[in-house]
Amino acid sequence: MKGDRQVQELIPVILKDGTIHHVPQGSTLGDVAAGLSRRLAKEAVVARVNGDLKDLASQVRPEDKVEFLTFEDEDGRTVYRHTSAHILAQAVKRLFPEAKLTIGPAIEEGFYYDFDSPEAFTTEDLARVEEEIKKIIKADYPVVRQEVTHEEAIEFFNKQDEPYKVKLIEELPPEAQVTLYSQGEFTDLCLGPHLPRTGMVGVVKLLSVAGAYWRGSEKNKMLQRIYGISFPKQKDLDEYLKRIEEAKRRDHRKLGQELDLFGIADEGPGFPFFYPKGMIIRTELENFWRDVHRRWGYKEIKSPIILNRSLWERSGHWDHYKENMYFLKIDEEDYAVKPMNCPGAILYYKTRLHSYRELPLRLAELGLVHRHERSGVLHGLLRVRCFTQDDAHIFMLPEQITDEIINVINLIDYFYRTFGFTYRVELSTKPENAMGSDEIWELATSSLVKALEKKGIPYQVNEGDGAFYGPKIDFHLQDSLGRNWQCGTIQLDFVMPENFDLTYIGEDGSRHRPVMIHRVAFGSIERFLGILTEHYAGAFPAWLAPVQVKVISVASRHVPYVLDVARQLEERGIRVEVDDENERVGYKIRQGELEKVPYLLVIGDQEVDSRTVRVRKRGEGDTGPARLDEFIRKLQQEIEQKLCI
RNA sequence: GCUGAUGUAGCUCAGCGGUAGAGCAGCGCACUCGUAAUGCGCAGGUCGUGGGUUCAAAUCCCACCAUCAGCUCCA
């Protein structure tokens, strides 16, 4: 009567929605899922039990609060991909038994596994590994968790000749329980949890192989890292690969060349060139910037690129930023190329006495700075060695801090909205190499928090990520592909005013110390243009487009009218080009579309006769005939309002 | 900086020990044409740079330069 007794011993578990479900004692989480729905039976990858993630193979206890996760849940996806990483490691060990296992976590997009292998893996190797992965998935090995003692674990991995695993275990406290996960012949040290079976993984795609240091430190040995991604269905993988393709298609380095906007010569690694068309976009961005700053009460200055060593010693850059700076000698004296604009702005501030009545004093500067970046990190316009910061330094009374920060937040918000970006805010606090006392940092940080809270903006805190002179608020904007870019930043600074002995004359007639804000909106004009290029996929809105209208002749007899139309557009301030080549219309239209010109005007007999133009809108095709002045009026409005259409 | 891959005409790429090739772009000629590539012809390269091996190097070896991917995700 053993069976009867089991049936009677039901235990209660609490489900996600609060309902109580009774299951036989000794049930696993997998059993519970299977009893709830067919969908869960198939798709549950892991369970959250009383807040902790647990393998589906583990048993439930009475009163457990249980929630089942699938690939759709972030944590479920992480487990799914972590198991994928184990499958990758198993496949690699089969094909390359001499490769040593290290670590293999799931990451934001996919997973990786690092191996110490005598031979570097090639792309062909990856294809073979992928085949082996398919076999492992097909074999559908159960993934079995096992708890062993510290000693047993070390002995096991010593026997397996896996020195990195032994090292990892040795770093754990000796009394700790160590968990092992096995699937088929493969066993890995792992905290888990994992999928119950290898067959639950749908498709795995290995993406790339690259070097990576053991524990991320350059002092350690370089390992071979294989990156991969996995999905339940081929369709999901295809979509992911399509998204990668789309990002490649939008790569600003590629578009910058195709559209003739900018480029980088071998002779100047990290020092970009702007070509005439890129220069137009850049100038439009700067015009917009000047216009906004005028309206927000800023004055503009320009400080020199090269300044004497003594200045950089006083500012702290000599001690805190030296390895990123370029130096030169002039008349036997040491000079540095500026990596930041703040000391220049401070020198201007110090050219005369300031009254409390003129604060806040907002000094803006499009300042060209140079910073030494390691050769391996350069990347088009996004990571360069010289760039133009759309900088500003605000000198103010301590009681103006919160209002000023809110003012800057409003300005940055206005900037990003113009380009159709949404954004996220982060607050960074005191770093290791900071200048200034804890009290000052405390005060500065709480001022930033106060401004954010007053604006009701949600933010994330990054401990220890601030600048050496003060805490900061960073703006991470999100582009049309959902990627994040750090651009704007607001940094509060009590240190520089102290170092440079900055003062203002207060109401009481005596000298007081002002507070400083450093801030950028674009961040770097060059980088922002790179981001915009990818965001718009090269199809810039009319206000930024290097050529706004291209006028195309059908046959050579139409050229005089084409030139007349172009002249009228030009007179109304529109950037226009004429294509009067002896080519077919189809050819010229194709050129115009490839150049991503917002409007093409096609002119043939009909247009000449009726003195009209035929409008073709970028990406939409022929939109029919129009009167020229009507077209110009609409386009001017589109440009004026900076519409993204 | 480190690991790996790459570097051939303005662009995209083929050639991988026997002395440089295509398509597009450019130039010329013909066609005068209605919404994403008309046809024919011409011209264009010290094969990233510098060494070496060889009768012979774009091709093999070494060094350097540049580019690309990665080097934060921690059993």
Side-chain angles (χ1 to χ4, degrees):
Chain A
M1 294 295 111
K2 206 172 157 194
D4 285 349
R5 209 165 60 229
Q6 270 189 348
V7 169
Q8 280 160 1
E9 284 179 31
L10 291 176
I11 58 165
V13 294
I14 304 157
L15 302 179
K16 186 184 166 192
D17 60 2
T19 57
I20 295 176
H21 185 70
H22 290 272
V23 297
Q25 179 146 30
S27 295
T28 65
L29 287 162
D31 296 335
V32 178
L36 286 174
S37 80
R38 283 169 82 163
R39 191 184 144 254
L40 272 189
K42 226 172 78 190
E43 292 182 15
V45 296
V46 70
R48 202 194 317 270
V49 178
N50 307 323
D52 297 325
L53 293 182
K54 284 268 165 59
D55 289 306
L56 292 180
S58 58
Q59 292 193 358
V60 278
R61 287 164 313 186
E63 309 285 331
D64 271 349
K65 286 181 72 176
V66 176
E67 178 190 352
F68 292 101
L69 304 180
T70 69
F71 184 82
E72 300 306 315
D73 302 289
E74 201 184 319
D75 286 336
R77 205 154 49 233
T78 301
V79 169
Y80 189 94
R81 297 207 165 129
H82 193 177
T83 302
S84 307
H86 276 219
I87 296 173
L88 162 62
Q90 182 173 15
V92 167
K93 282 302 273 187
R94 282 184 182 177
L95 298 173
F96 306 91
E98 70 288 0
K100 300 299 168 215
L101 300 171
T102 72
I103 59 164
I107 53 177
E108 245 169 80
E109 291 243 293
F111 58 87
Y112 68 77
Y113 209 112
D114 285 347
F115 303 92
D116 184 6
S117 163
E119 297 279 320
F121 300 122
T122 64
T123 330
E124 293 77 61
D125 292 337
L126 288 194
R128 285 173 57 213
V129 174
E130 255 178 42
E131 284 311 305
E132 201 57 44
I133 286 174
K134 277 184 197 150
K135 287 185 204 158
I136 295 166
I137 291 174
K138 189 135 182 264
D140 197 17
Y141 300 113
V143 180
V144 182
R145 177 190 166 96
Q146 194 190 344
E147 291 198 2
V148 296
T149 65
H150 195 259
E151 245 166 76
E152 286 167 334
I154 290 180
E155 198 191 318
F156 176 79
F157 283 107
N158 264 328
K159 223 193 278 163
Q160 297 279 313
D161 195 18
E162 292 290 0
Y164 291 89
K165 292 293 174 189
V166 173
K167 222 178 286 177
L168 288 168
I169 301 163
E170 279 169 351
E171 285 170 21
L172 299 172
E175 68 281 3
Q177 276 282 318
V178 175
T179 51
L180 306 180
Y181 277 83
S182 303
Q183 54 202 47
E185 81 287 359
F186 176 81
T187 299
D188 199 354
L189 169 73
C190 188
L191 203 54
H194 276 282
L195 301 183
R197 313 185 65 86
T198 58
M200 275 191 76
V201 174
V203 286
V204 173
K205 171 86 187 159
L206 300 183
L207 300 167
S208 63
V209 54
Y213 299 103
W214 166 241
R215 316 226 100 169
S217 166
E218 289 174 30
K219 295 188 194 95
N220 293 336
K221 184 164 184 191
M222 181 157 278
L223 310 170
Q224 299 289 317
R225 174 172 297 180
I226 297 180
Y227 282 94
I229 195 155
S230 57
F231 290 96
K233 293 197 185 84
Q234 181 67 38
K235 200 184 88 208
D236 303 323
L237 174 63
D238 292 343
E239 265 166 35
Y240 171 79
L241 293 175
K242 231 168 101 188
R243 222 173 62 231
I244 300 214
E245 278 308 306
E246 177 62 16
K248 249 192 219 158
R249 199 179 66 75
R250 288 171 176 243
D251 191 314
H252 74 283
R253 292 167 298 185
K254 195 166 163 251
L255 288 171
Q257 188 194 58
E258 283 171 7
L259 301 176
D260 212 21
L261 303 177
F262 43 76
I264 296 177
D266 275 6
E267 290 80 354
F271 303 110
F273 283 69
F274 280 79
Y275 307 156
K277 285 184 173 166
M279 209 50 211
I280 289 175
I281 304 175
R282 188 184 170 132
T283 304
E284 284 296 339
L285 290 175
E286 292 180 0
N287 290 346
F288 172 59
W289 184 88
R290 289 206 164 87
D291 182 47
V292 171
H293 282 75
R294 229 180 347 257
R295 277 155 48 199
W296 251 264
Y298 286 75
K299 291 181 164 58
E300 188 179 353
I301 62 167
K302 181 79 87 186
S303 68
I305 287 176
I306 299 173
L307 290 161
N308 193 281
R309 165 176 181 162
S310 60
L311 178 75
W312 302 108
E313 282 175 348
R314 191 164 189 186
S315 68
H317 286 88
W318 194 270
D319 286 337
H320 295 266
Y321 211 71
K322 211 165 159 191
E323 59 288 358
N324 287 304
M325 292 168 67
Y326 297 112
F327 300 99
L328 67 161
K329 258 200 162 59
I330 301 176
D331 294 341
E332 306 296 307
E333 286 257 355
D334 287 328
Y335 282 79
V337 181
K338 67 176 176 184
M340 294 185 195
N341 302 301
C342 33
I346 289 171
L347 287 186
Y348 167 71
Y349 183 87
K350 282 174 77 74
T351 55
R352 61 184 174 84
L353 233 44
H354 294 276
S355 153
Y356 72 95
R357 292 172 198 274
E358 56 181 308
L359 303 186
L361 178 62
R362 308 184 185 103
L363 296 176
E365 169 170 17
L366 291 172
L368 178 62
V369 298
H370 288 70
R371 295 179 184 177
H372 180 72
E373 297 283 355
R374 297 190 302 173
S375 58
V377 304
L378 300 177
H379 183 95
L381 293 184
L382 302 181
R383 195 77 181 266
V384 290
R385 285 178 171 156
C386 79
F387 55 97
T388 308
Q389 284 185 307
D390 65 315
D391 220 340
H393 298 93
I394 302 170
F395 300 85
M396 64 204 167
L397 312 175
E399 56 267 34
Q400 291 170 329
I401 293 176
T402 307
D403 282 348
E404 259 325 283
I405 288 172
I406 288 173
N407 192 258
V408 175
I409 290 174
N410 290 339
L411 178 143
I412 291 178
D413 178 73
Y414 179 74
F415 260 91
Y416 294 171
R417 273 190 295 128
T418 302
F419 298 96
F421 288 121
T422 56
Y423 61 90
R424 190 161 57 70
V425 171
E426 293 184 6
L427 174 71
S428 297
T429 60
K430 190 176 179 190
E432 296 270 344
N433 68 344
M435 294 173 85
S437 68
D438 282 350
E439 296 78 67
I440 273 183
W441 275 85
E442 188 55 44
L443 176 61
T445 310
S446 65
S447 306
L448 292 180
V449 168
K450 213 196 288 171
L452 284 172
E453 284 178 355
K454 217 164 157 185
K455 280 290 289 179
I457 296 175
Y459 60 93
Q460 186 196 316
V461 177
N462 287 334
E463 297 291 348
D465 239 10
F468 68 79
Y469 46 76
K472 56 177 184 167
I473 296 173
D474 288 328
F475 292 77
H476 295 252
L477 53 80
Q478 205 165 49
D479 72 10
S480 55
L481 286 187
R483 297 170 303 179
N484 286 302
W485 307 95
Q486 203 246 291
C487 289
T489 173
I490 308 175
Q491 306 176 350
L492 200 52
D493 182 1
F494 293 87
V495 175
M496 295 277 175
E498 196 74 36
N499 288 350
F500 283 94
D501 191 26
L502 300 186
T503 58
Y504 64 88
I505 308 297
E507 230 174 327
D508 59 0
S510 60
R511 289 178 185 245
H512 299 272
R513 187 77 72 213
V515 181
M516 246 177 109
I517 287 174
H518 310 241
R519 49 107 284 189
V520 291
F522 289 141
S524 140
I525 306 253
E526 291 80 357
R527 185 176 134 93
F528 197 79
L529 179 46
I531 294 168
L532 279 185
T533 305
E534 305 205 354
H535 178 59
Y536 293 128
F540 292 94
W543 74 280
L544 289 172
V547 177
Q548 293 164 324
V549 178
K550 205 162 171 180
V551 194
I552 291 171
S553 55
V554 172
S556 53
R557 64 176 173 279
H558 309 124
V559 170
Y561 182 57
V562 161
L563 293 174
D564 183 45
V565 167
R567 188 187 48 78
Q568 290 192 52
L569 285 160
E570 213 155 42
E571 276 171 5
R572 308 278 285 271
I574 286 159
R575 294 188 288 268
V576 61
E577 256 180 24
V578 164
D579 191 346
D580 58 357
E581 258 191 296
N582 281 337
E583 270 297 348
R584 277 143 181 78
V585 192
Y587 180 85
K588 294 195 249 189
I589 293 210
R590 181 179 152 81
Q591 292 309 311
E593 289 284 347
L594 289 176
E595 288 161 23
K596 300 183 195 285
V597 176
Y599 293 96
L600 303 178
L601 300 182
V602 178
I603 284 168
D605 289 334
Q606 286 170 37
E607 288 70 40
V608 173
D609 291 346
S610 60
R611 309 307 278 179
T612 57
V613 294
R614 194 150 184 115
V615 181
R616 188 187 161 100
K617 191 162 160 40
R618 177 178 60 199
E620 287 179 24
D622 191 350
T623 58
R627 279 177 43 203
L628 182 57
D629 55 354
E630 184 64 11
F631 169 75
I632 293 178
R633 202 184 53 76
K634 274 199 197 147
L635 176 56
Q636 279 179 326
Q637 203 175 9
E638 183 182 333
I639 292 167
E640 178 67 26
Q641 296 176 3
K642 302 187 166 50
L643 299 178
C644 298
I645 50 175

